[in-house]
Amino acid sequence: MDRRVPTGISRHRSRSRLLLATGVTAFALVAGAATPLNPVPQQAHAAEAKAGSGSGGKKVLTVAVNQSVDSMSPFLATRLVSTTALRLMYDYLTNYDVKDGHTVPGLATAWKSSADKLTWTFTIRKNSTWSDGEQATADDAAWTFNKMMTDEAAATANGSFTSNFKKVTAPDPRTLIVQLKKPQATMTALDVPIVPKHVWEKVGDFSKFNNDKQLPVVGNGPFILTDYKVDQYLKFKPNKKFWRGAPKFDELDFKYYKDNDAAVAALQKGEVSFVSGLTPAQTAALKTEKNIKVNDAPGRRFYALATNPGAKAKDGKKIGDGNPALLDQRVRQALFAATDTRTIIDKVFQGHAVEGAGYIPPRFSDYFWKPAADQKIAYDPARAASLLDQAGYKKNGDGKRVGKDGKPLSFRLLCHATDPNDKAIGKYMQEWWGKLGIGLKVDCLDNVSDPWLAGEYDLAFDGYSVNPDPDYVLSIHTCAALPSTPKSTGATDNFICDKQFDALYAEQAAEYDPVKRADLVKQMESRLYDTGYMNVMAYPNAVEAYRTDQIKSIETMPSAAGNIWGQDGYWSWWSAVPTSSDGSSSSGSSTGLVIGIVAVVVVIGLGGFVALRRRSTAEDRE
């Protein structure tokens, strides 16, 4: 996921670990009268940051979003909104090409491995400068990785990338050497923000430092964080020294709307430039609007139903109160057989999605997997009833499924209050499962992270954004991702710990042959499917819209039929070209790059800032 996803524990790892259920994402300035979600009315900001302001004023790109920031620390953040902002602030060793996702230089200009693949040498670019004027060097990268290797809290978000590192050194400012314990296939896809050593070595407790008080934040990405107020905004300005060139808009606002209908209304009024996570009804309405372009493209996320597999920590101690009936594979598979994914695609997504199968979306064709005909758990209520009978849950005289203890079979389902898809699908499930005699309580909450992390759920809508390299979204289902103790926070998505899955994960992580590695990844997807812990129901399209009278052009990823929001990189916001008052492309300097103040405003939702609860649980991980 960049770890990073709208639903789920999303990592785009982009875990990418949590881009997975699909939460609606919208960045926007809050309009109207003062409210708890809008302490400063829109009118007060009009002169400062009016979206798409005309001639003589700043060119403002305003993006609507409805996800709360979990942390602004690269070591802790997993939600898509957070990791998206971090991609603007910090460079990575490598990046993904905007056209097709292949590896391209980032902070590193070149890399090579030893014959045995155990030593990797990266050449660090000369022209990357921290925003405080210091040179970015190999020592910064070595310090970043070593901190993750030696401090458990610093490994919270991206620890899977360094768990196999043996030693990391910087013999000179332009040379980074990474020694591995065993070969590691992700060495050209290390989705880890590199931070400035001279700033971060002063940090004490990495589990509590959220990188939001000492402003401006020192970074070397295309944007610089200059101001932040909890529940109000994040503000960025362009990094004039960014080696790839400065952004073209004078200002970028990421603004919060809890209600995506309000965000769409703001788009129609010209108060915001861009909105994502559109519903079918919103999409249909916007397609007829003047000066609005709808982008409907295959997405990089999956939308799934996750079951509590008996949540526990690495020390073996139980976490939460999940229904023990879900420990039975037959019960889990019965629930999937009682779920009509075709109806979900047709009635809920209304065609703006593809029916789910494996864990990796079809956009990543090398890793895409589908079950064989005799393996597939299709919608089959009769089969579901048979599986429940076999598991010992038979109907009583009232038509309710009861166990041997006489207790009725009933589950709790975590639902995101801001996601209309969750609510609609939850109602269908209540109907389908009710016919089988199963009770289902749908809990739609503003904050699903706390009960999820506490293991206080039976089922949950989940989702993640998947990166070109799938390692991250696979790693979050390994035993190693579990929290060390019930009180600590791990990198796990859903508390899955399966030895067979782990063995396959270790094999693919060390396999450099792309064909062999793809086969191992598909075996992992098959195993995840058979265990019934995750039911990938859909691969939603990226359905988003922007105002053409404000944005002249903007990069999608991939370039042909790709998404704008939640990319594996900073391409969209870095590349966006403003439309001038006469409708032409605007240029601000002799180089064609407009250098101004970029303000990224991310307003936190009612759940507030989550300092230690890192998981995006169906709320978008990159």
Side-chain angles (χ1 to χ4, degrees):
M1 283 161 202
D2 215 318
R3 269 175 279 278
R4 330 156 180 240
V5 137
T7 35
I9 297 174
S10 273
R11 277 188 160 253
H12 172 279
R13 264 234 112 348
S14 128
R15 241 154 306 40
S16 218
R17 269 175 200 193
L18 275 91
L19 355 129
L20 287 280
T22 304
V24 183
T25 304
F27 272 102
L29 264 185
V30 183
T35 69
L37 283 178
N38 183 21
V40 183
Q42 174 71 35
Q43 291 85 342
H45 295 291
E48 175 186 351
K50 187 176 186 299
S53 54
S55 60
K58 291 186 296 184
K59 290 296 180 179
V60 182
L61 173 55
T62 310
V63 182
V65 5
N66 69 359
Q67 188 188 39
S68 299
V69 170
D70 54 346
S71 176
M72 288 308 300
S73 166
F75 299 97
L76 302 177
T78 61
R79 290 183 180 174
L80 185 58
V81 63
S82 308
T83 56
T84 294
L86 291 171
R87 282 184 175 273
L88 304 179
M89 297 163 57
Y90 299 101
D91 221 350
Y92 295 36
L93 285 183
T94 60
N95 206 337
Y96 300 103
D97 185 78
V98 69
K99 294 182 179 179
D100 59 14
H102 74 267
T103 300
V104 295
L107 182 59
T109 60
W111 45 88
K112 62 181 179 179
S113 69
S114 59
D116 61 5
K117 304 294 186 181
L118 294 178
T119 301
W120 284 76
T121 302
F122 295 86
T123 300
I124 303 303
R125 66 174 57 253
K126 294 179 180 179
N127 59 338
S128 179
T129 305
W130 297 111
S131 53
D132 62 358
E134 294 285 337
Q135 182 73 27
T137 69
D139 199 35
D140 295 307
W143 187 89
T144 299
F145 292 134
N146 277 303
K147 174 55 66 172
M148 293 168 61
M149 293 162 60
T150 57
D151 187 323
E152 184 178 1
T156 298
N158 304 308
S160 65
F161 289 109
T162 59
S163 61
N164 182 48
F165 285 13
K166 180 179 181 181
K167 186 178 181 180
V168 182
T169 57
D172 63 66
R174 295 199 62 216
T175 305
L176 175 73
I177 299 177
V178 180
Q179 293 176 283
L180 305 173
K181 300 172 186 175
K182 57 185 179 181
Q184 180 171 325
T186 61
M187 292 306 293
T188 60
L190 298 173
D191 293 314
V192 177
I194 303 302
V195 303
K197 173 184 175 181
H198 66 283
V199 174
W200 283 81
E201 64 183 354
K202 301 173 185 177
V203 175
D205 188 344
F206 273 68
S207 70
K208 297 180 180 179
F209 183 74
N210 287 302
N211 196 30
D212 59 353
K213 298 295 189 297
Q214 301 173 18
L215 301 167
V217 171
V218 177
N220 64 342
F223 299 102
I224 301 168
L225 177 64
T226 60
D227 196 10
Y228 173 62
K229 289 186 179 180
V230 175
D231 293 342
Q232 294 186 48
Y233 56 77
L234 289 166
K235 293 185 178 182
F236 292 75
K237 67 179 182 180
N239 181 0
K240 299 179 182 180
K241 298 179 180 179
F242 184 52
W243 62 268
R244 197 182 290 275
K248 301 173 181 63
F249 267 85
D250 297 321
E251 183 173 311
L252 172 67
D253 293 351
F254 281 9
K255 301 178 180 181
Y256 180 87
Y257 281 95
K258 183 178 179 181
D259 184 346
N260 214 41
D261 285 333
V264 169
L267 181 75
Q268 294 171 315
K269 296 176 184 177
E271 295 173 354
V272 300
S273 314
F274 175 91
V275 175
S276 64
L278 300 176
T279 65
Q282 291 167 345
T283 302
L286 291 177
K287 281 184 175 180
T288 63
E289 291 279 342
K290 181 180 180 181
N291 296 326
I292 291 179
K293 178 178 177 62
V294 173
N295 183 48
D296 188 351
R300 55 184 283 253
R301 294 184 62 84
F302 62 80
Y303 183 94
L305 178 69
T307 65
N308 186 330
K312 62 181 179 180
K314 289 180 183 176
D315 61 11
K317 293 183 179 179
K318 181 181 178 181
I319 297 177
D321 58 0
N323 192 321
L326 292 172
L327 299 178
D328 192 322
Q329 181 180 8
R330 294 168 297 186
V331 174
R332 299 192 298 268
Q333 292 185 337
L335 297 181
F336 296 168
T339 301
D340 187 354
T341 54
R342 189 66 256 168
T343 291
I344 290 173
I345 299 299
D346 294 341
K347 301 297 184 181
V348 179
F349 290 100
Q350 296 184 30
H352 298 282
V354 177
E355 191 170 356
Y359 196 63
I360 310 297
R363 169 165 156 176
F364 305 102
S365 57
D366 289 345
Y367 301 108
F368 179 61
W369 170 89
K370 292 192 298 184
D374 59 351
Q375 183 184 14
K376 184 176 180 180
I377 304 175
Y379 178 55
D380 188 344
R383 181 186 178 188
S386 176
L387 287 167
L388 291 171
D389 287 340
Q390 294 172 34
Y393 295 94
K394 302 194 176 185
K395 283 188 176 181
N396 62 14
D398 296 325
K400 304 296 183 183
R401 294 275 172 180
V402 295
K404 295 178 181 178
D405 57 4
K407 294 182 179 179
L409 187 61
S410 182
F411 300 107
R412 301 161 296 171
L413 171 60
L414 280 179
C415 157
H416 298 81
T418 58
D419 192 341
N421 294 328
D422 281 11
K423 295 177 181 178
I425 295 171
K427 289 181 179 179
Y428 274 116
M429 287 179 171
Q430 285 178 319
E431 176 185 348
W432 296 328
W433 297 2
K435 293 178 180 178
L436 287 171
I438 301 172
L440 180 64
K441 179 184 178 183
V442 181
D443 295 320
C444 292
L445 309 173
D446 289 325
N447 172 22
V448 302
S449 293
D450 284 350
W452 195 322
L453 287 170
E456 295 171 352
Y457 69 100
D458 301 324
L459 304 140
F461 289 116
D462 193 10
Y464 253 97
S465 295
V466 178
N467 287 359
D469 189 294
D471 181 85
Y472 186 84
V473 292
L474 298 173
S475 74
I476 59 178
H477 293 309
T478 61
C479 300
L482 294 174
S484 298
T485 69
K487 293 184 179 180
S488 58
T489 301
T492 184
D493 174 27
N494 193 45
F495 297 100
I496 294 173
C497 180
D498 178 76
K499 298 300 182 183
Q500 186 173 329
F501 184 88
D502 275 18
L504 290 167
Y505 175 78
E507 283 191 66
Q508 70 80 32
E511 180 56 70
Y512 284 91
D513 182 284
V515 175
K516 292 180 180 178
R517 185 175 182 226
D519 180 65
L520 289 167
V521 169
K522 291 176 182 179
Q523 289 182 51
M524 295 177 70
E525 295 181 78
S526 177
R527 176 62 181 173
L528 198 60
Y529 184 91
D530 287 342
T531 59
Y533 292 126
M534 296 282 293
N535 178 13
V536 177
M537 299 182 289
Y539 308 114
N541 285 5
V543 189
E544 47 204 5
Y546 64 89
R547 294 198 63 92
T548 56
D549 56 354
Q550 296 180 22
I551 301 174
K552 179 71 174 180
S553 64
I554 190 168
E555 286 277 7
T556 61
M557 185 178 186
S559 297
N563 56 291
I564 296 172
W565 169 251
Q567 294 180 356
D568 297 289
Y570 44 69
W571 307 112
S572 53
W573 315 124
W574 173 80
S575 71
V577 176
T579 303
S580 64
S581 57
D582 61 2
S584 64
S585 174
S586 170
S587 62
S589 70
S590 59
T591 62
L593 298 177
V594 176
I595 300 176
I597 297 177
V598 178
V600 178
V601 180
V602 179
V603 182
I604 313 301
L606 288 176
F609 184 86
V610 184
L612 298 179
R613 301 295 187 178
R614 311 298 172 199
R615 194 169 69 201
S616 314
T617 53
E619 290 179 57
D620 250 19
R621 170 76 173 139
E622 190 192 353

